[in-house]
């Protein structure tokens, strides 16, 4: 038994050797730094050298060595006395520290097996021993004292005092709070600067304390007698997690210092500032630091303590840090009842699910009947799933469109995923940036390019439908067209806004949850009505609810004016064609001019400035006249498909067309590849050429594929795009477009720890995220998209029958009027 205790003592001594040596140095140097102060202890340790004169270095060194040896021997003897004496000492079971704390502010359970005097001596020895360990522990990593803020509240000061006392006494809950704060780690030059700490451990601190407040009265007549009254009350100490942002500021343009910070900030794929919106584009240049403090302190108190800590660490170096802690980035675990809006939102989704279940039950029970009530089966899951996964197509279907939509939708998902990836903390961000700072990353940087074909096909399908009716002399009712479109796109959009605003914030938590989920929900609470009016693209990205839905605003506004272009082209083909070509030219010139004047960039080059990225989105990317070029190209394509249907092309014409289409796709996709290089310097001319001509070239490639495929000129390429299975992706494309960003940022907000970046493919091809997007898209389609399309058909059918009856009654009346019969018949 004694041998085992001696081995335990020896192991503990070996573990404590660095701390004991540090104490010896401190005792020699006589440091004046208080452990509770945010001062630089390293300076005091280095002050040992100042106590040794240069003339008597050997003598001073011997004295220092003897002093360290003496203190070390005392500590060894003290440890052996506590752990190895099997006769007079009692073995200390340190596993009990998991349930007991030693602070005077807390109650401890006494052991019945020891006498009172022995127990007091035992607790005093243990308290002194653990206090010494606690001091060494704090010397290694200094705690953040939020009460040092001159404007700190009394509650913050009181809780911080309790916390610091408990930390000095090695209480477990205080150690957890200190341990949960982020700390600098290895790999700083490899970009390992974001230290989120331990989010769950911090919020899991719920320690009930019994606080004693004493007051001492002095009897004026008999000063020798003192009466001490103690009042006790309970306090629950809760951990509060705050995510602080710090931005280094260099004093001068030192090349070595700039090289150091360039590596630390991972070459800066995104150049960001404090004032940049961070809920949709990462503020990559900032250092994210997780701090755990008592819940009684505010974000201002944490901000002051972090700034003071960094200021002390960089004193006399000239380097400074700007620090900010936003109110929403401080989180405390607490259960609050749902507010009224959240309650109604949950009830709404429960109601929709109930309607779907009841409709499904009715559909199954009446399947054998000759005729079902179509109104009762509109929400049937069986009916809507059969429609969703059906690959049947109509004879007039433009089959190649489905495959092209699928290709651009997948490219858009990869681009959006790569943007969300930069929110995550990696311990090798510099290595990640170097691997992504290469020309091949053009595939993920051209996000704006992949949205243009959707505008192209929107204009094409609108024109193709209206020109078909005009050719058959069918009436065009614009009111019905607008209502039909609104019933198609509004229900899924409204459901997603409601879910992301009131339901999604309740589903998770994490260091960045309130930034990418909570803050975005607050924006939607204020500005949701703009999305439903489809005018949200005019109010800027920083205050836009569901920023990725700006495309819906552009598409809807262009759809509203498309009938004017189509009717003009039908009535006056030559003038209409010249007018549309002139509008395309004006839009192209406007994109070029706006990019030059405002220093914009429609391409996410390496080192993109976040402010420039948002200016581009506000001034050009979300402005319909600047995006109208490809939409007008779609109208012209729809006109060509109707007018030149079945056209015969020679072999040379086909070869020339394919050659030009190949040149267009290579120029638009590979032309800006040098802009993705890590050493690229922004050039407004490059950015303007890309913004003006890349959308046209990209859409010309797909326009040629659709034209030749629809006219019967097939090859392996066109057959691939015309595969019938892509019809399912077309039906899901709208829901996929809506749900991908909520899924990406849901995972970003839940990310708690630093991960290692291996390669781009492993990050992008996240199977769990793709499955989540697919399931969310299916749910949104079968619960909102398909049911309301069923209702739209029933409403339109009823309206059509009413109009037919009214028209028949009108004709019957007109046959009884001799003067009106011939006139109206001729009009028909």
């Amino acid at each position: 038994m004694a041998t085992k205790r001696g081995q335990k003592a020896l192991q503990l001594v070996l573990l404590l050797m660095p701390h004991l040596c540090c104490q010896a140095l401190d005792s020699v140097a006589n440091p004046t730094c208080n452990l509770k102060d945010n001062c630089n202890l390293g300076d005091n340790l280095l002050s040992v050298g100042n106590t040794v004169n240069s003339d008597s270095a050997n003598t001073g060194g011997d004295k220092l060595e003897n002093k360290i040896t003496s203190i070390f021997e005392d500590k060894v003897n003290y440890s052996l006395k506590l752990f190895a004496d099997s006769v007079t000492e009692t073995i200390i079971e340190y596993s009990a520290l998991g349930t007991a704390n030693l602070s005077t502010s807390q109650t401890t359970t006494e052991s019945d097996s020891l006498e009172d005097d022995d127990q007091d001596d035992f607790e005093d020895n243990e308290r002194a021993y653990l206090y010494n360990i606690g001091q060494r522990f704090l010397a290694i990593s200094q705690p953040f004292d939020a009460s040092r803020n001159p404007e700190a509240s009394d509650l913050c000061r009181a809780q911080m005092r309790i916390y610091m006392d408990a930390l000095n006494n090695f209480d477990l809950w205080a150690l957890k709070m200190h341990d949960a704060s982020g700390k600098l780690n290895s790999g700083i030059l490899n970009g390992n600067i974001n230290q989120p700490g331990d989010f769950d451990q911090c919020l899991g601190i719920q320690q009930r304390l019994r606080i004693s407040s004493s007051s001492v009265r002095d009897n004026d007549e008999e000063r020798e007698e003192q009466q001490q009254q103690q009042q006790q009350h309970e306090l629950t100490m809760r951990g509060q997690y705050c995510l602080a942002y710090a931005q280094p500021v260099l004093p001068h343009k030192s090349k070595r210092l700039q090289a150091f910070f360039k590596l630390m900030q991972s070459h800066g794929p995104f150049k960001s500032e404090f004032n940049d919106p961070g809920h949709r584009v990462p503020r990559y240049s900032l250092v994210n630091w997780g701090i755990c403090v008592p819940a009684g302190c505010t974000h201002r108190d944490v901000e002051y303590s972090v700034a003071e800590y960094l200021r002390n660490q960089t004193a006399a170096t000239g380097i400074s840090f700007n620090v900010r802690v936003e109110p929403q980035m401080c989180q405390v675990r607490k259960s609050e009842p749902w507010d009224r809006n959240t309650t109604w939102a949950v009830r709404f989704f429960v109601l929709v699910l109930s309607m779907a279940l009841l409709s499904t039950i009715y559909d199954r029970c009446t399947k054998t009947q000759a005729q079902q009530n179509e109104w009762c089966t509109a929400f049937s899951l069986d009916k809507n799933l059969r429609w969703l996964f059906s690959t049947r197509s109509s004879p007039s279907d433009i089959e190649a469109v489905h495959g092209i939509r699928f290709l651009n939708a997948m490219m858009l998902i990869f681009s959006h995923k790569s943007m969300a990836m930069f929110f995550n903390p990696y311990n090798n961000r510099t290595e990640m940036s170097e691997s992504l700072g290469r020309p091949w990353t053009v595939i993920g940087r051209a996000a704006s390019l992949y949205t243009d074909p959707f505008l192209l096909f929107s204009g094409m399908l609108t024109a193709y439908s209206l020109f078909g009716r005009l050719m058959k002399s069918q009436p065009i009712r614009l009111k019905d067209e607008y209502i039909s479109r609104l019933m198609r796109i509004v229900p899924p959009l409204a459901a997603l806004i409601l879910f992301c605003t009131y339901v999604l914030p309740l589903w998770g938590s994490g260091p960045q949850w309130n930034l990418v989920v909570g803050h975005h929900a607050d924006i939607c609470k204020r500005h949701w009505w703009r999305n439903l009016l489809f005018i949200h693209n005019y109010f800027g990205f920083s205050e836009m609810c569901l920023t990725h839905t700006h495309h819906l605003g552009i598409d809807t506004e262009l759809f509203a004016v498309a009938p004017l272009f189509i009717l003009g082209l039908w009535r006056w083909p030559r003038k209409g064609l010249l007018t549309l070509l002139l509008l395309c030219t004006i839009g192209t010139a406007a994109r070029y001019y706006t990019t030059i004047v405002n220093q914009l960039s429609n391409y996410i080059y390496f080192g993109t400035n976040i402010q420039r990225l948002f200016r581009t989105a506000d001034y050009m990317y979300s402005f319909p006249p600047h995006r109208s070029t490809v939409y007008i190209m779609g109208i012209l394509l729809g006109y060509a498909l109707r007018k030149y249907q079945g056209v015969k092309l020679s072999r040379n014409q086909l070869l020339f067309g394919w050659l030009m289409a190949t040149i267009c796709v290579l120029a638009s996709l590979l032309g800006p590849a040098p802009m993705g290089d890590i050493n690229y310097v922004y050039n407004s001319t490059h950015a303007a050429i890309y913004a003006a001509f890349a959308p046209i070239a990209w859409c010309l490639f797909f326009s040629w594929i659709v034209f030749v495929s629809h006219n019967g000129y097939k090859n392996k390429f066109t057959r691939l795009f015309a595969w019938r299975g892509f019809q399912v992706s077309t039906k899901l494309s709208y829901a996929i477009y809506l749900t991908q960003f909520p899924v990406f940022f849901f995972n970003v907000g839940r990310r708690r720890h630093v991960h290692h970046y291996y390669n781009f493919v492993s990050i992008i091809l996240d199977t769990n995220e793709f499955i989540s997007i697919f399931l969310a898209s299916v749910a949104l389609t079968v619960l909102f998209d398909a049911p309301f399309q069923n209702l739209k058909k029933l409403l339109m059918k009823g309206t059509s029958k009413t109009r037919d009856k009214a028209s028949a009654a009108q004709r019957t009346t007109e046959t009884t009027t001799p003067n009106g019969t011939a006139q109206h018949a001729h009009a028909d």
Side-chain angles (χ1 to χ4, degrees):
M1 181 66 68
T3 304
K4 292 182 180 179
R5 292 168 185 158
Q7 292 177 352
K8 291 182 179 180
L10 182 58
Q11 292 176 358
L12 184 61
V13 169
L14 293 176
L15 290 174
L16 293 176
M17 283 180 64
H19 308 302
L20 300 177
C21 294
C22 291
Q23 184 177 8
L25 293 175
D26 291 341
S27 62
V28 175
N30 296 322
T32 59
C33 175
N34 192 338
L35 288 174
K36 296 182 181 180
D37 296 334
N38 288 328
C39 56
N40 194 344
L41 295 179
D43 296 338
N44 295 303
L45 294 176
L46 293 177
S47 63
V48 176
N50 298 330
T51 61
V52 183
N53 297 327
S54 59
D55 297 335
S56 58
N58 295 331
T59 305
D62 295 338
K63 291 181 179 180
L64 177 61
E65 182 179 359
N66 294 334
K67 185 65 175 179
I68 294 175
T69 303
S70 177
I71 296 177
F72 179 75
E73 291 177 352
D74 293 340
K75 292 298 180 181
V76 171
N77 293 332
Y78 181 68
S79 301
L80 293 176
K81 181 180 179 181
L82 287 176
F83 291 93
D85 194 346
S86 60
V87 179
T88 59
E89 296 293 336
T90 303
I91 300 175
I92 302 176
E93 296 292 342
Y94 286 97
S95 61
L97 293 176
T99 56
N101 296 308
L102 299 175
S103 295
T104 56
S105 59
Q106 297 178 244
T107 59
T108 58
T109 305
E110 296 184 358
S111 176
D112 297 334
S113 61
L114 297 176
E115 298 294 336
D116 292 340
D117 295 340
D118 294 338
Q119 178 68 17
D120 293 340
D121 294 339
F122 168 76
E123 290 182 354
D124 291 340
N125 291 335
E126 186 179 30
R127 192 187 309 278
Y129 183 75
L130 294 181
Y131 179 83
N132 178 57
I133 296 179
Q135 294 300 298
R136 296 298 94 207
F137 181 72
L138 298 182
I140 298 173
S141 177
Q142 304 172 35
F144 287 92
D145 188 356
S147 65
R148 295 178 63 84
N149 183 12
E151 299 179 358
S153 63
D154 293 338
L155 178 62
C156 178
R157 296 179 187 277
Q159 290 189 1
M160 282 302 306
R161 183 167 55 252
I162 296 172
Y163 163 58
M164 298 300 288
D165 291 341
L167 195 59
N168 285 331
N169 286 282
F170 222 62
D171 287 351
L172 184 60
W173 69 267
L175 291 176
K176 286 184 176 181
M177 185 173 291
H178 178 55
D179 182 53
S181 295
K183 300 167 182 64
L184 291 180
N185 208 334
S186 58
I188 300 299
L189 296 182
N190 202 16
N192 190 22
I193 59 174
N194 291 332
Q195 302 299 330
D198 197 321
F199 178 82
D200 293 313
Q201 179 172 293
C202 180
L203 296 190
I205 298 174
Q206 305 281 337
Q207 184 67 31
R208 297 186 64 182
L209 306 176
R210 181 169 296 175
I211 309 301
S212 299
S213 57
S214 60
S215 59
V216 179
R217 300 182 191 177
D218 292 338
N219 192 340
D220 296 336
E221 297 179 356
E222 299 177 356
R223 292 185 177 274
E224 295 180 357
E225 297 181 359
Q226 294 182 350
Q227 181 180 6
Q228 181 176 359
Q229 297 181 352
Q230 293 186 349
Q231 299 177 352
Q232 293 184 346
H233 62 277
E234 289 188 352
L235 170 68
T236 300
M237 185 70 72
R238 291 183 172 88
Q240 177 179 216
Y241 181 91
C242 295
L243 191 64
Y245 302 110
Q247 185 178 34
V249 179
L250 302 184
H252 50 76
K253 296 183 179 180
S254 170
K255 293 185 178 181
R256 290 190 178 184
L257 197 60
Q258 288 180 346
F260 169 78
F261 276 92
K262 186 177 181 180
L263 291 176
M264 188 181 74
Q265 294 181 327
S266 306
H267 302 286
F270 293 94
K271 300 297 176 60
S272 57
E273 302 290 340
F274 272 133
N275 296 326
D276 294 335
H279 63 289
R280 277 301 173 262
V281 181
R283 290 180 286 202
Y284 198 83
S285 302
L286 305 184
V287 179
N288 297 348
W289 203 343
I291 307 297
C292 188
V293 295
C297 299
T298 65
H299 69 283
R300 293 292 185 186
D301 302 329
V302 179
E303 180 179 290
Y304 184 91
S305 64
V306 174
E308 184 186 44
Y309 173 85
L310 293 175
R311 186 168 54 252
N312 291 329
Q313 294 296 323
T314 59
T317 64
I319 302 174
S320 60
F321 282 86
N322 296 325
V323 179
R324 176 179 296 180
V325 179
E326 298 173 350
Q328 69 270 16
M329 301 311 294
C330 287
Q331 307 178 54
V332 179
R333 179 174 296 174
K334 53 184 178 182
S335 57
E336 295 181 352
W338 293 351
D339 58 15
R340 181 180 179 182
N341 294 329
T342 302
T343 303
W344 280 107
V346 173
R347 290 175 179 173
F348 170 76
F349 287 109
V350 171
L351 176 63
V352 172
L353 288 173
S354 302
M355 292 174 59
L357 292 176
L358 293 176
S359 181
T360 304
I361 294 173
Y362 173 82
D363 186 16
R364 292 184 177 182
C365 293
T366 60
K367 187 177 296 184
T368 58
Q369 296 182 4
Q371 187 176 2
Q372 291 178 317
N373 189 330
E374 294 184 355
W375 292 90
C376 296
T377 59
F379 284 83
S380 172
L381 296 178
D382 292 344
K383 178 180 179 179
N384 294 328
L385 286 173
R386 285 195 303 268
W387 166 81
L388 175 60
F389 292 102
S390 174
T391 58
R392 292 181 298 178
S393 61
S394 62
S396 60
D397 187 23
I398 307 175
E399 297 177 343
V401 172
H402 303 299
I404 297 174
R405 274 181 169 174
F406 175 79
L407 173 64
N408 285 272
M410 294 304 298
M411 299 299 289
L412 198 60
I413 287 179
F414 292 152
S415 298
H416 290 166
K417 171 59 181 177
S418 61
M419 177 69 70
M421 177 184 68
F422 285 96
F423 278 91
N424 296 326
Y426 294 99
N427 57 11
N428 58 336
R429 288 203 314 170
T430 302
E431 180 182 348
M432 179 185 73
S433 298
E434 292 172 352
S435 65
L436 296 179
R438 297 174 184 174
W440 66 266
T441 58
V442 64
I443 299 174
R445 296 181 181 277
S448 63
L449 204 63
Y450 306 134
T451 61
D452 290 320
F454 291 96
L455 289 175
L456 173 77
F457 293 141
S458 178
M460 181 201 71
L461 294 175
T462 302
Y464 189 79
S465 175
L466 294 183
F467 279 126
R469 296 183 186 181
L470 291 172
M471 288 179 176
K472 296 178 182 179
S473 299
Q474 295 178 352
I476 297 178
R477 299 180 177 89
L478 295 182
K479 180 180 178 182
D480 292 346
E481 295 293 332
Y482 293 144
I483 293 176
S484 176
R485 180 176 178 81
L486 291 178
M487 290 192 67
R488 166 71 172 85
I489 63 177
V490 169
L493 176 62
L496 185 70
I497 292 175
L498 190 65
F499 180 81
C500 292
T501 304
Y502 295 107
V503 180
L504 184 61
L506 305 176
W507 273 28
S509 62
Q512 300 186 85
W513 182 264
N514 286 347
L515 175 67
V516 298
V517 177
H519 178 62
H520 189 262
D522 294 336
I523 294 177
C524 286
K525 290 177 182 178
R526 299 192 302 267
H527 305 309
W528 59 269
W529 56 273
R530 297 175 180 173
N531 296 63
L532 297 184
L533 293 178
F534 300 101
I535 59 174
H536 55 296
N537 54 301
Y538 288 105
F539 292 90
F541 265 47
S542 60
E543 290 296 322
M544 185 184 298
C545 172
L546 296 179
T547 54
H548 64 289
T549 62
H550 66 278
H551 180 87
L552 287 177
I554 299 171
D555 193 6
T556 303
E557 292 159 13
L558 292 175
F559 175 81
V561 299
L564 299 178
F565 298 153
I566 295 171
L567 293 175
L569 184 60
W570 173 258
R571 187 73 179 271
W572 305 284
R574 185 181 297 273
K575 293 182 179 179
L577 178 61
L578 293 176
T579 301
L580 293 180
L581 292 177
L582 179 61
L583 291 176
C584 288
T585 304
I586 293 174
T588 304
R591 291 196 302 274
Y592 187 95
Y593 176 79
T594 304
T595 303
I596 291 290
V597 172
N598 297 290
Q599 297 290 293
L600 307 180
S601 177
N602 216 29
Y603 181 84
I604 305 175
Y605 61 90
F606 194 96
T608 298
N609 187 287
I610 300 301
Q611 296 179 359
R612 178 176 288 130
L613 202 60
F614 272 85
R615 286 202 313 269
T616 303
D618 296 340
Y619 295 162
M620 184 173 60
Y621 187 54
S622 60
F623 189 50
H626 289 160
R627 304 292 303 280
S628 62
T629 301
V630 294
Y631 194 89
I632 295 175
M633 289 174 59
I635 294 177
L636 296 176
L637 178 60
Y639 179 74
L641 292 177
R642 286 294 186 183
K643 187 174 180 62
Y644 302 102
Q645 186 172 3
V647 66
K648 300 298 182 181
L649 299 176
S650 65
R651 179 178 177 84
N652 291 334
Q653 289 175 331
L654 287 174
L655 290 176
F656 179 77
W658 279 109
L659 177 62
M660 296 304 298
T662 304
I663 293 175
C664 286
V665 71
L666 293 178
S668 59
L669 188 61
L670 302 182
M675 298 169 68
D677 189 79
I678 194 171
N679 297 316
Y680 176 77
V681 179
Y682 172 77
N683 186 299
S684 59
T685 303
H686 295 169
I689 293 174
Y690 176 84
F693 301 107
I696 298 176
W698 183 253
C699 290
L700 281 175
F701 171 69
F702 295 112
S703 298
W704 171 255
I705 293 176
V706 170
F707 183 77
V708 297
S709 175
H710 191 63
N711 284 285
Y713 297 97
K714 305 288 185 179
N715 54 34
K716 293 182 179 180
F717 199 60
T718 57
R719 289 191 182 93
L720 175 62
F721 283 120
W723 180 53
R724 295 175 59 184
F726 287 135
Q727 295 184 22
V728 177
S729 65
T730 296
K731 298 171 187 176
L732 283 174
S733 60
Y734 181 45
I736 291 174
Y737 174 74
L738 291 178
T739 58
Q740 56 183 277
F741 257 110
V743 171
F744 289 149
F745 287 107
F746 174 81
N747 291 327
V748 168
R750 293 174 63 248
R751 183 66 64 92
R752 278 153 162 75
H753 302 294
V754 177
H755 287 252
H756 186 81
Y757 173 84
Y758 291 99
N759 55 70
F760 182 76
V761 176
S762 63
I763 298 297
I764 292 297
L765 299 181
D766 191 330
T767 307
N768 293 332
E769 282 190 330
F770 279 104
I771 293 175
S772 300
I773 293 173
F774 175 76
L775 295 178
S777 301
V778 171
L780 190 63
T781 300
V782 299
L783 292 177
F784 295 96
D785 190 355
F788 281 92
Q789 288 194 56
N790 296 334
L791 296 177
K792 177 192 70 175
K793 293 177 182 178
L794 294 175
L795 291 173
M796 293 300 177
K797 185 186 299 183
T799 304
S800 178
K801 290 182 179 179
T802 303
R803 285 174 179 165
D804 292 340
K805 291 181 181 179
S807 178
Q810 185 179 4
R811 289 191 180 94
T812 303
T813 304
E814 289 168 353
T815 56
T816 62
T817 308
N819 295 332
T821 304
Q823 181 179 358
H824 286 277
H826 179 71
D828 292 339

